[in-house]
Amino acid sequence: MDHIRNFSIIAHIDHGKSTLADRMLEVTGTIEKRKMREQVLDNMELERERGITIKMQPARMNFSSEGKQYILNLIDTPGHIDFAYEVSRALTAVEGVILLVDATQGIQAQTLATLAMARSAGCVVLPVVSKIDVPTARVSETVLELMDLLHCEEKDVFKVSGKTGEGVSVLLKGIVEKVPAPSSSYTGPGGRALIFDFSYSEHRGVTMFIRVMDGVLTNKDAVRLFATNTKFSSLETGWFTPGQVPSERLHAGEIGYVVSGIKEPGVATVGDTLLSTASTLPALAGYQTPRPVVWASLFPESQDQFTFLKQALGRLRLSDAALSYEEDGSSILGKGFRCGFLGMLHLEIVSERLKREFNLSPIITTPTIEYEVTTKNGGVEHVFSPSQFPEHGLITSIREQWVKVDIIAPPDYLSPITQLLYEYEAVITASDLFSDGRMSINSEMPLRELMRGFFDRLKSVSSGFASLSYEFLELRHADVMRLEVLVAEEVVPAFSRIVSRRRLEEDSKAIVEKLYRTLPKQLFVVKIQARADGRIISSRSLSAIRKDVTGYLYGGDITRKKKLLEKQKKGKERRGEHAKLNIPPEVFLKMVKPDEGK
């Protein structure tokens, strides 16, 4: 164990984590140059397309320093705030972290949030300045920021370029010197490991990503999962380089994988303890259950696909521990699932993975958060969707989740950011000035407003220079109500949403206008309405598709044309009275996504 170093890379999104990981794999010779590619640890096509890391990915490297051979186990982590749970799981499996800061951008709000997570996990922090080769890099200023943040000396801050490889070898030596080796005093039979992630395949079942804490786990070993007491024989053990390489055994301190062969969802859970049946060790502490921030219901396009959607969510749950779901139902959309997500990006990624990996395009209802509703009979209900909201006359009070939002931005953008915070019902509590001239703005706002596209609007008004992080506060009084959308005089639950009273008319007009633009024309006139507080707030009528029934007529009396047009009009009225409108799935998806340019 003295020659093992386990570490992770944490940073704000787009600060060069994956690029630095690429150079480390190249410098250590883990991947041959001819097989090298950008974002080599990002296995998902979606990650490579968007240039972001969604799943953490381990990699084992061999490194020689001062005549000694070391094993470096790296876990590359996501940078977006929605995937903070992935980062927290990675931090419990390592002893040290590289805190990476982009020299062109400096310390960002998410940098501070991930640093707090690393400190609470007891990890040794190595400050590193990246992108030092960029002409606009402010290396000396960024070094001073890190020195001030971590109370360290200038010699403790590493300077690297993930693109050119400059400083990477020095950083690897620093990891060997400063990150402590794993330790264990257990000398008994068998071993014990923490499960920090999963993958799934049709042939091998669940593959558990583990950090061995004590003892030894061997191939074909008889093991059990502590939480469910499920026993099985490991089909294969091995390491990540970063592809899976079989090994006869995994020792204490090592990071690797165990192929279980288990194909039932729910048996294995992230944070569970994997134990040899011969071992008498107790369970490890594990992880806290992730707390969903955004709720949305997913319904299959056809009820025939309900079982496929259920299986797909079960498979996704194996590789995405933060996803939660339970069965839900709608009188119009049929059976579906109410799902919990860590944010809007998480929701978008899950829906995209369902489409790409399982060929499913579910209908997604408008995302919402959890509300605590007190009714006039004294009961307290926890409401996750607009359809569960009691009628407005039965409600005594409503409480909602508030969050503390920290924004870091140049002072030039203070005015538009302040206006944006007012628009999103935020209360500014404090502001501070950094040594490099940037400002820190602390505010408190309702979670529903944060999830209403606040991050995208913040990036827009600050020309991309602002960054944010948030943490949960207590529940507070909410002045909100349910806004229902009627299409052809029938309520469509998927379009219903909870809105602030002060934005009621604005949101009503916006949703009716958007639906008017999005909904395809029918053979009859379709009335689109928004209703709240028992009254219609906004309304529009979508004209019918009109066939030219008089096209074959020529000459003669005008009354012939009028008779045909009147007959057509009455026919459309009769059809409108009895017709059932089928809304295409793409309409639901367009209604969930924010308008372009907003």
Side-chain angles (χ1 to χ4, degrees):
M1 284 193 294
D2 290 342
H3 295 267
I4 297 175
R5 300 292 185 270
N6 299 320
F7 69 100
S8 186
I9 305 176
I10 58 173
H12 187 79
I13 191 169
D14 199 31
H15 273 214
K17 294 182 304 301
S18 297
T19 310
L20 176 60
D22 289 349
R23 295 292 78 71
M24 286 182 167
L25 292 168
E26 195 175 298
V27 168
T28 56
T30 305
I31 296 180
E32 297 175 32
K33 282 196 175 183
R34 61 187 180 87
K35 294 182 180 179
M36 200 65 200
R37 59 175 185 172
E38 289 186 9
Q39 292 175 257
V40 71
L41 293 182
D42 292 339
N43 296 321
M44 290 167 54
E45 182 186 347
L46 197 55
E47 291 179 311
R48 305 183 65 78
E49 275 183 20
R50 297 191 174 216
I52 61 172
T53 302
I54 297 168
K55 289 284 301 168
M56 61 172 139
Q57 177 61 44
R60 176 184 172 117
M61 301 174 284
N62 292 313
F63 181 68
S64 177
S65 178
E66 297 181 0
K68 295 180 181 178
Q69 288 292 326
Y70 291 91
I71 296 169
L72 306 182
N73 289 310
L74 157 69
I75 301 181
D76 187 26
T77 62
H80 196 281
I81 195 167
D82 278 12
F83 303 111
Y85 184 61
E86 290 276 322
V87 180
S88 68
R89 300 207 317 269
L91 295 180
T92 57
V94 297
E95 285 78 29
V97 296
I98 291 173
L99 181 67
L100 198 65
V101 178
D102 187 338
T104 64
Q105 299 182 48
I107 291 173
Q108 304 287 296
Q110 186 62 17
T111 311
L112 303 177
T114 49
L115 174 60
M117 290 166 57
R119 281 174 165 165
S120 64
C123 296
V124 172
V125 179
L126 273 68
V128 180
V129 177
S130 68
K131 302 186 183 180
I132 60 172
D133 59 304
V134 179
T136 56
R138 300 178 296 106
V139 179
S140 57
E141 292 93 328
T142 310
V143 169
L144 288 172
E145 286 179 34
L146 281 169
M147 289 167 59
D148 187 47
L149 177 65
L150 298 173
H151 307 293
C152 62
E153 298 179 18
E154 186 176 352
K155 61 182 178 64
D156 298 323
V157 182
F158 295 88
K159 307 176 190 71
V160 301
S161 168
K163 188 175 181 180
T164 65
E166 182 184 349
V168 173
S169 296
V170 177
L171 175 58
L172 291 170
K173 289 180 181 177
I175 291 168
V176 168
E177 293 169 4
K178 299 194 175 186
V179 174
S183 61
S184 172
S185 57
Y186 179 73
T187 55
R192 175 176 68 163
L194 173 71
I195 301 171
F196 64 85
D197 205 1
F198 293 113
S199 67
Y200 181 85
S201 72
E202 290 283 351
H203 306 293
R204 288 150 63 100
V206 176
T207 298
M208 304 171 188
F209 295 17
I210 61 169
R211 156 69 196 270
V212 183
M213 295 296 187
D214 302 287
V216 180
L217 292 174
T218 59
N219 194 13
K220 311 299 181 186
D221 198 2
V223 291
R224 67 185 175 96
L225 297 169
F226 188 87
T228 57
N229 201 30
T230 303
K231 296 180 181 178
F232 63 92
S233 290
S234 59
L235 302 181
E236 182 181 297
T237 57
W239 311 307
F240 300 97
T241 63
Q244 295 181 1
V245 177
S247 169
E248 280 301 312
R249 55 182 56 81
L250 291 172
H251 295 270
E254 290 189 306
I255 290 174
Y257 67 90
V258 170
V259 179
S260 67
I262 296 172
K263 296 186 178 179
E264 301 85 32
V267 175
T269 55
V270 162
D272 197 2
T273 303
L274 184 69
L275 287 165
S276 299
T277 52
S279 170
T280 57
L281 289 164
L284 296 162
Y287 303 115
Q288 289 185 343
T289 305
R291 178 181 178 180
V293 172
V294 175
W295 297 85
S297 292
L298 272 60
F299 296 93
E301 293 179 74
S302 163
Q303 285 298 300
D304 296 338
Q305 295 181 330
F306 175 79
T307 305
F308 296 117
L309 180 58
K310 186 175 183 179
Q311 291 173 347
L313 288 171
R315 298 279 174 82
L316 276 185
R317 180 80 171 78
L318 290 171
S319 62
D320 186 352
L323 174 66
S324 61
Y325 65 93
E326 58 186 49
E327 286 196 22
D328 193 11
S330 164
S331 57
I332 294 178
L333 298 173
K335 292 171 68 179
F337 298 91
R338 187 172 73 241
C339 303
F341 305 93
L342 297 184
M344 295 301 289
L345 178 64
H346 188 204
L347 164 60
E348 194 179 334
I349 293 298
V350 168
S351 62
E352 189 68 26
R353 289 185 67 186
L354 285 171
K355 184 177 180 180
R356 294 186 183 212
E357 297 174 25
F358 303 98
N359 201 26
L360 289 169
S361 298
I363 297 166
I364 306 170
T365 61
T366 304
T368 184
I369 65 166
E370 181 181 357
Y371 295 90
E372 184 185 275
V373 180
T374 304
T375 55
K376 289 188 175 177
N377 62 9
V380 177
E381 300 179 19
H382 290 273
V383 176
F384 299 93
S385 67
S387 60
Q388 297 175 324
F389 244 67
E391 292 300 321
H392 66 276
L394 303 176
I395 297 173
T396 302
S397 66
I398 304 171
R399 297 207 305 158
E400 65 180 342
Q401 181 73 57
W402 274 59
V403 289
K404 178 177 178 285
V405 178
D406 296 327
I407 298 171
I408 296 177
D412 298 348
Y413 299 99
L414 179 60
S415 179
I417 289 174
T418 303
Q419 292 174 22
L420 184 69
L421 288 169
Y422 173 76
E423 182 186 334
Y424 280 76
E425 301 181 31
V427 179
I428 297 176
T429 55
S431 61
D432 197 7
L433 198 64
F434 282 113
S435 57
D436 64 347
R438 290 180 303 156
M439 288 198 70
S440 168
I441 305 165
N442 309 119
S443 61
E444 296 175 358
M445 68 192 304
L447 178 59
R448 71 179 147 80
E449 292 294 304
L450 180 68
M451 294 300 149
R452 192 172 58 84
F454 178 76
F455 183 66
D456 290 337
R457 288 288 306 279
L458 176 66
K459 283 289 184 185
S460 178
V461 301
S462 67
S463 303
F465 285 106
S467 63
L468 74 81
S469 66
Y470 65 87
E471 58 185 75
F472 292 103
L473 298 172
E474 71 284 353
L475 296 176
R476 298 183 188 176
H477 172 72
D479 189 11
V480 296
M481 60 180 58
R482 178 173 63 189
L483 177 66
E484 295 178 319
V485 177
L486 293 81
V487 179
E489 299 187 356
E490 195 169 345
V491 176
V492 184
F495 296 150
S496 299
R497 59 186 65 185
I498 307 302
V499 299
S500 168
R501 189 180 296 274
R502 87 176 196 181
R503 291 180 50 84
L504 179 60
E505 289 201 17
E506 183 184 338
D507 284 355
S508 299
K509 289 177 181 176
I511 192 171
V512 167
E513 285 296 327
K514 187 172 182 179
L515 193 52
Y516 178 80
R517 297 192 309 268
T518 309
L519 200 65
K521 286 189 175 185
Q522 307 295 315
L523 292 172
F524 55 93
V525 176
V526 178
K527 193 178 286 185
I528 304 169
Q529 300 167 304
R531 182 175 70 189
D533 253 354
R535 61 192 177 93
I536 301 297
I537 310 295
S538 181
S539 177
R540 283 207 69 169
S541 292
L542 185 66
S543 59
I545 298 173
R546 185 170 176 268
K547 180 183 177 184
D548 187 5
V549 293
T550 64
Y552 67 94
L553 296 178
Y554 61 94
D557 196 341
I558 189 65
T559 55
R560 295 179 65 196
K561 288 188 176 183
K562 287 185 175 179
K563 282 180 182 178
L564 282 172
L565 291 171
E566 189 63 28
K567 184 179 178 182
Q568 183 190 47
K569 180 182 175 183
K570 289 180 178 179
K572 288 187 179 294
E573 286 174 355
R574 285 196 303 272
R575 182 184 287 272
E577 290 172 4
H578 306 289
K580 182 177 172 67
L581 179 62
N582 289 319
I583 301 175
E586 55 267 21
V587 173
F588 292 94
L589 287 172
K590 287 177 182 175
M591 292 300 292
V592 169
K593 290 182 179 179
D595 288 338
E596 293 295 326
K598 285 193 174 183

